[in-house]
Amino acid sequence: MKEKTALITGVTGQDGSYLAELLLSMDYRVVGMVRRTSTINFDRLRHIQDNIEIVQGDLLDQSSMMDVVSQFQPDEVYNLAAQSFVPTSWQQPVLTGEFTALGVTRILEAIRHVRPSARFYQASSSEQFGKVVEVPQKETTPFYPRSPYGVAKVYGHWITVNYRESYDMFAVSGILFNHESPRRGLEFVTHKVTHAAARIKLGLQDELRVGNLDARRDWGFAGDYVRAMWLMLQQDNPDDYVIATGETHTVQELCEIAFARVGLDWKQYVVIDPRYVRPAEVDLLIGDPSKARSKLNWAPAVSFYDLVHMMVDSDLRELQDEIRYGWHQPKKSTDVMLDKTVTGSLVKTEPGTQK
Ligand code: NAP
Ligand code: F7E
């Protein structure tokens, strides 16, 4: 009999898979909520699928949330599900609000009615700081979101705080800065760049089209960040925390490091394409993680440089396997259009590979 049960929404996503691994390693019973799709997308979970329980539910559907909470009576609930890609939030602002904002209220309502003792984690975001009014950003920095996604996350943050204050629930908001890994969706800039560098090295692609090279982000490793989520739910009192590295880098630096890893000069391959420039940009994000360091004893283990190398190396290995085993099809990639055309994650994992 496992001591604790954790429910993870968004378990098929990047963070969901790392968090499920972490909780399994601590002997939790892990329940992963997935929405119904016509094709199963458990690529990131394949290696642990037999050890977790999968249940169907959707953030859009209140009764499914009630049923899931009632059936499993979780001790901890991690709400990681969201429409998480910023550009899509301009194309689908209402749906983004339904998933990313109101979805939080739906799950909080389910917990309040069915399992009020459960501890709740909300996946908040540095995108809430948007057009920053303070550098670096900390827990007390006012929000100024710059996209429908950021606006939806501000709602998710405040409804979490509100349920904590209104109903005395153990509900926390983790304001996480960008975190990446080989499991990151290919539409996000880190993985788009590392994957393209690997493809160009292998002669599968000629160029990489990107938007704003000057944007600055505080990028960390997802494996480090899910540990912070867990730590927040182990404290005596619920509170909100910024999780970040405290360093910031430009998209250009990302390109430099990724291409150098495969022995190429980024300037020869990277093309600016205005189609990837956003209607409103978040120019600079840099977090101050001192509260997490002192109260949670949390610190990131993987540097930006090592993170980029980890991602490039993983992409190279995976593409080489695809070529070796004949899985690889297109000579001319359509990847450059992914973040304009696709809303979901496009991590490619072949049977037998584990990232
Ligand atoms: P991700 O890879 O995009 O995963 C999102 C997850 O949400 C997927 O499992 C997706 O399921 C699920 N989902 C979407 N809509 C749903 C719905 N209506 N009902 C149920 N599930 C739904 O995101 P991530 O990078 O792991 O991030 C996890 C969370 O942290 C998200 O809330 C994100 O907004 C937030 N966040 C991320 C970062 C970051 O840098 N990664 C930083 C701050 C905050 P499908 O597989 O079916 O699409
Ligand atoms: O963009 C610039 C782009 O899409 C980072 C999500 O996990 O983190 C993520 O949101 C920066 C932006 O992440 C391209 O303009 C340039 O300034 O990788 P991204 P994001 O928008 O910061 C936050 C914390 C979340 O919460 C979100 O869920 O890179 N950029 N050229 C580009 N970005 C993309 N995607 N593609 C480009 O070609």
Side-chain angles (χ1 to χ4, degrees), residues 118-143:
R119 294 185 168 205
F120 176 76
Y121 173 85
Q122 167 56 16
S124 290
S125 166
S126 50
E127 282 295 297
Q128 292 163 208
F129 297 121
K131 190 172 176 183
V132 298
V133 300
E134 185 178 28
V135 178
Q137 297 84 52
K138 50 184 187 274
E139 291 78 5
T140 49
T141 302
F143 298 139

Side-chain angles (χ1 to χ4, degrees), residues 84-87 125-127 149 153 176-180 184 187-190 192 209-213 215-217 219 251 276 278 281-282 285 339:
S84 75
F85 191 46
V86 171
S125 166
S126 50
E127 282 295 297
Y149 169 82
K153 282 288 181 187
L176 271 52
F177 282 61
N178 299 52
H179 46 279
E180 319 290 316
R184 187 58 141 152
E187 65 276 34
F188 297 93
V189 77
T190 50
K192 179 172 169 176
R209 293 185 166 266
V210 295
N212 180 8
L213 281 178
R216 293 182 158 271
R217 288 291 183 279
W219 277 295
V251 174
Y276 295 110
R278 300 178 178 185
E281 178 62 288
V282 172
L285 288 177
D339 53 353

